[in-house]
């Protein structure tokens, strides 16, 4: 490889490094925004569940329940939720609710 070729390869590689650094900064900013949005949305969900609980006759949420194919676990500390996508569970529960034909 000639010196000119080496210089070209170094320039291309340096450009790649700078591009990746810019992309990494952009991703870091996007990740920070997503974490902020996530925290706000999780707080909104906790508030919605609290309001829902207050409207229930016995004022108690079940420790585990599903809605729209999402398993919600409220058995942890107050205000702490675990969420899991569970479409198969939702389908199973819906099939159990249907009368046998």
């Amino acid at each position: 490889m000639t010196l000119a070729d080496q210089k070209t390869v170094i320039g291309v590689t340096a450009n790649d490094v700078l591009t990746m650094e810019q992309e990494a900064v952009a991703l870091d900013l996007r990740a920070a925004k997503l974490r902020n949005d996530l925290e706000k949305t999780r707080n909104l969900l906790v508030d919605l569940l609290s309001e829902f609980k207050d409207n229930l006759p016995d004022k108690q949420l079940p420790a585990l329940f599903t809605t729209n194919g999402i398993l919600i676990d409220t058995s942890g500390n107050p205000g702490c939720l675990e969420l899991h996508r569970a479409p198969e569970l939702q389908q199973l529960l819906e099939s159990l609710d249907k009368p046998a034909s």
Side-chain angles (χ1 to χ4, degrees):
M1 185 181 285
T2 68
L3 288 178
D5 291 341
Q6 289 176 336
K7 184 177 176 183
T8 299
V9 170
I10 290 170
V12 168
T13 305
N15 187 55
D16 289 347
V17 168
L18 289 173
T19 299
M20 286 186 245
E21 285 177 348
Q22 288 173 330
E23 289 176 11
V25 168
L27 286 172
D28 288 342
L29 293 172
R30 176 79 174 124
K33 182 182 180 331
L34 282 173
R35 281 190 294 275
N36 187 39
D37 291 350
L38 169 64
E39 189 62 29
K40 287 178 186 177
T41 306
R42 185 175 286 279
N43 288 337
L44 173 62
L45 179 58
V46 168
D47 291 346
L48 290 169
L49 286 170
S50 178
E51 185 177 329
F52 179 68
K53 180 180 106 175
D54 291 344
N55 289 321
L56 292 173
D58 62 356
K59 308 281 188 219
Q60 292 291 329
L61 279 177
L64 293 171
F65 64 97
T66 64
T67 183
N68 297 342
I70 298 174
L71 176 67
I72 300 176
D73 181 351
T74 63
S75 64
N77 296 329
C80 182
L81 304 170
E82 285 192 36
L83 306 172
H84 305 278
R85 292 191 197 283
E88 296 86 7
L89 177 61
Q90 183 70 25
Q91 292 168 354
L92 174 65
L93 294 173
E94 288 171 359
S95 71
L96 293 175
D97 287 342
K98 291 180 185 175
S101 12

